[in-house]
Amino acid sequence: ALVMNGTLVFTETPSAITIAFLGFSVDIDGRQESFNGTFSCSASLSNCFISTDFIASDGNIYRVADVSVSNSGAGYNIGAMFYHHELGQVSISTNAAITYSNSCGVYPADGEIMINGSNGSYLTATFNPDCSFTIMGSDGSSSFGPTTRSW
């Protein structure tokens, strides 16, 4: 059986759309997961923001915070923080706006994403105009890359 419980608040203004989940839980065959969160976007959907706490059936809390996606007209910028009760936090951001071109279709043609973890670990993905991407990073003690791959 599937049982959902909690409060869902939907707000729409001329400039934004917001959905808030308050004390929301989902119970599937006796296993319960719950969360509180907010999802909001500008009315044009060019800027969106998400922040959520997930409470797992084991009682651990997982957080997704400050997730943002924006289109500046010159490309897309993203940002996010993820928190794990044992592993720590991971942040994602754009070092250069992500852009697309007709020649690359659904794949990025320019821009760079940076993922930072704990203990100095990181990964950088750079999107190239020839529809390839280059990755490099470190696990905190040794580096790898750069390696270029095609989609």
Side-chain angles (χ1 to χ4, degrees), residues 1-88:
L2 169 66
V3 178
M4 294 192 292
N5 205 354
T7 303
L8 175 67
V9 178
F10 180 84
T11 308
E12 183 177 10
T13 67
S15 61
I17 300 166
T18 301
I19 301 171
F21 296 88
L22 307 171
F24 207 82
S25 65
V26 177
D27 189 314
I28 302 173
D29 297 328
R31 181 178 171 171
Q32 187 176 45
E33 309 286 340
S34 60
F35 60 96
N36 293 300
T38 303
F39 304 87
S40 63
C41 285
S42 64
S44 66
L45 302 179
S46 61
N47 296 298
C48 294
F49 176 82
I50 300 170
S51 185
T52 304
D53 284 342
F54 295 94
I55 304 157
S57 58
D58 61 7
N60 290 314
I61 298 173
Y62 304 88
R63 176 170 287 163
V64 178
D66 304 327
V67 177
S68 63
V69 178
S70 63
N71 181 353
S72 65
Y76 293 92
N77 291 292
I78 62 170
M81 292 291 292
F82 300 92
Y83 300 91
H84 185 276
H85 67 283
E86 291 177 354
L87 302 176

